[in-house]
Amino acid sequence: CSSDLNDRFDLQIELDSIVTALEAGDCPGLDPDRLLDLIGMLAANPALSTLKPYLYEQASLLSLYRGDIYNSLRYVEKALDVSFHMSRLLFKAEALIALGDRQRAWETWQLIASKMNYRNRLAYGQQVKELRSKLDQLEQASNREGGAGTGGE
């Protein structure tokens, strides 16, 4: 294994540990804003371009842990722009539901449904069912409040 590959793997492990420790409240002296700045600098480094989706995921998690769902959504969208992955798309849909953004949540659902091949059904089938249930509940709540539906399936 090349040293460069090991360095990238070490970066992922260390960054994951730091973000997880921040979430648990184990790093009171570490400023999350500074860590987000660092992650942004790392993501902008061409030498780490293969890690960019991972770095954006970590920034998304860090933002979520800080209670900033808007930035969390923004970072997961950046990760999706760089590299599609079903787990990122599911996270995006969950964030949109949490924000009450029915229209974009349904649009994301339609994309998820279009990507449900055999492998994704095996890996994410339960999550997709739960997501659909949440979307239906969001739609029902909106209809009770008098909002127009967005027309899920």
Side-chain angles (χ1 to χ4, degrees):
C1 224
S2 75
S3 174
D4 186 45
L5 184 59
N6 284 335
D7 290 345
R8 290 176 192 202
F9 183 69
D10 289 344
L11 172 66
Q12 286 178 285
I13 291 171
E14 290 169 15
L15 187 57
D16 184 61
S17 297
I18 292 168
V19 171
T20 301
L22 272 171
E23 187 267 337
D26 293 340
C27 293
L30 183 59
D31 181 355
D33 291 328
R34 302 284 291 200
L35 182 56
L36 279 172
D37 290 343
L38 174 62
I39 292 170
M41 287 187 285
L42 293 170
N45 184 338
L48 299 174
S49 63
T50 58
L51 292 179
K52 194 176 277 197
Y54 168 78
L55 292 167
Y56 287 141
E57 283 179 359
Q58 290 301 306
S60 178
L61 287 173
L62 181 57
S63 296
L64 185 65
Y65 296 156
R66 296 176 62 228
D68 186 354
I69 195 163
Y70 295 101
N71 269 326
S72 182
L73 177 61
R74 183 174 64 88
Y75 283 118
V76 82
E77 287 174 332
K78 283 184 169 195
L80 279 163
D81 288 344
V82 175
S83 175
F84 174 83
H85 196 278
M86 183 63 80
S87 64
R88 293 180 192 127
L89 198 57
L90 289 165
F91 182 87
K92 177 182 176 179
E94 292 276 357
L96 290 167
I97 289 169
L99 290 169
D101 190 337
R102 291 184 353 260
Q103 181 64 38
R104 289 181 59 205
W106 278 112
E107 290 168 2
T108 304
W109 164 257
Q110 290 168 347
L111 182 56
I112 290 168
S114 75
K115 302 286 186 182
M116 286 306 290
N117 58 31
Y118 179 74
R119 190 171 89 173
N120 283 337
R121 277 193 301 277
L122 287 176
Y124 302 104
Q126 186 59 38
Q127 284 179 273
V128 170
K129 285 179 189 177
E130 291 169 5
L131 178 66
R132 178 57 194 245
S133 176
K134 290 176 185 178
L135 278 166
D136 290 340
Q137 290 171 7
L138 181 64
E139 196 69 23
Q140 290 168 2
S142 174
N143 289 338
R144 282 192 301 270
E145 294 170 6
T150 58
E153 265 184 271

